[in-house]
Amino acid sequence: MTPTTTISQHDYDGDGDSETSISVSIIENMKEEYGLFVWPCSVILAEYVWQQRSRFRDSTILELGAGTSLPGLVATKIGANVTLTDDATKPEVLDNMRRVCQLNKLNCNVMGLTWGVWDAPIFELRPNIILGADVLYDSSAFDDLFATVSYLLQSSPDAVFITTYHNRSGHHLIEFLIVKWGLKCVKLLDGFSFLPSNKASLLGGNIQLVEIVLSSKNQQL
């Protein structure tokens, strides 16, 4: 392990019951690209998965732009069937994802998936929950992201896309893209509203969580 590489531990308390508590270890590299660091949006989305674990358990889950993969690993720990994906042109990130799965003794499918690129693997994916933490950071990639999400939701019309993002420039651009791609928002939460105080105190920013589905009009097409 290099001097810039650390392992962070993320604990989830099962209401005082040690048998239902879990812990996830993440390999982070402070000098590498953004994909190898646990950002606040990942912490919040992972907490949401944990708190709603009865909903996520036994689901087929796809995490987009997974990076260090904390939300997907929490989902795997609680019994979901998880596929972790990130940019297919970044093998170092995909390799790190595999190492993190091995570190946690978890069996996840890891695959390269570049937004807006229609390679064969995407046509076989049928998730009922799509996760994405801080995937709305580069506005030049927004259309590729939403094209990918829209395709996946049309392939699984009852699926939902759950994402956390820094509300840097207001929700208006996100709302525009949701409508543009035939989607609709069904839930919008302040990311800190459900985060335990001991975790919230370590994070900053204005982070929102949104759940997105196909619009009813688009479902009928």
Side-chain angles (χ1 to χ4, degrees):
M1 192 169 291
T2 66
T4 57
T5 301
T6 62
I7 295 179
S8 58
Q9 184 169 310
H10 303 264
D11 299 319
Y12 301 87
D13 183 19
D15 300 320
D17 182 356
S18 60
E19 292 187 3
T20 58
S21 298
I22 67 169
S23 180
V24 176
S25 297
I26 299 293
I27 302 171
E28 302 183 69
N29 192 320
M30 303 306 175
K31 286 196 173 181
E32 286 289 348
E33 296 185 28
Y34 295 119
L36 297 180
F37 185 79
V38 178
W39 295 99
C41 285
S42 293
V43 175
I44 289 174
L45 184 55
E47 184 67 33
Y48 188 70
V49 171
W50 170 249
Q51 292 190 17
Q52 304 228 351
R53 51 194 178 277
S54 61
R55 171 189 181 188
F56 288 87
R57 186 176 295 119
D58 298 325
S59 295
T60 299
I61 294 177
L62 175 72
E63 185 173 2
L64 296 174
T68 51
S69 310
L70 181 59
L73 293 173
V74 170
T76 306
K77 282 255 184 179
I78 63 175
N81 178 21
V82 177
T83 297
L84 305 171
T85 72
D86 211 305
D87 191 335
T89 66
K90 296 181 178 179
E92 72 282 359
V93 175
L94 298 172
D95 287 343
N96 192 70
M97 290 159 63
R98 295 184 183 97
R99 286 194 293 269
V100 170
C101 291
Q102 293 171 357
L103 178 64
N104 289 279
K105 297 180 172 60
L106 295 174
N107 183 22
C108 299
N109 183 28
V110 175
M111 62 178 281
L113 193 161
T114 304
W115 306 334
V117 175
W118 308 107
D119 290 334
I122 193 173
F123 300 118
E124 300 173 5
L125 296 170
R126 294 291 185 275
N128 51 334
I129 298 176
I130 305 162
L131 300 176
D134 210 11
V135 291
L136 294 164
Y137 63 89
D138 178 4
S139 59
S140 67
F142 283 3
D143 271 316
D144 284 339
L145 169 64
F146 273 89
T148 300
V149 169
S150 179
Y151 172 79
L152 290 167
L153 291 177
Q154 290 182 58
S155 299
S156 302
D158 294 326
V160 60
F161 174 46
I162 307 173
T163 184
T164 46
Y165 63 95
H166 282 277
N167 193 15
R168 300 180 178 93
S169 56
H171 188 64
H172 303 296
L173 178 57
I174 309 302
E175 290 177 328
F176 170 77
L177 289 165
I178 287 172
V179 173
K180 174 182 178 180
W181 287 100
L183 310 173
K184 66 178 179 180
C185 172
V186 292
K187 182 181 287 188
L188 179 64
L189 296 175
D190 176 350
F192 289 91
S193 64
F194 54 85
L195 197 64
S197 58
N198 65 314
K199 295 185 179 182
S201 64
L202 302 175
L203 306 178
N206 176 10
I207 298 174
Q208 294 186 308
L209 180 144
V210 63
E211 296 199 13
I212 297 169
V213 299
L214 279 181
S215 70
S216 55
K217 180 180 178 181
N218 209 19
Q219 282 182 312
Q220 295 169 2
L221 294 179

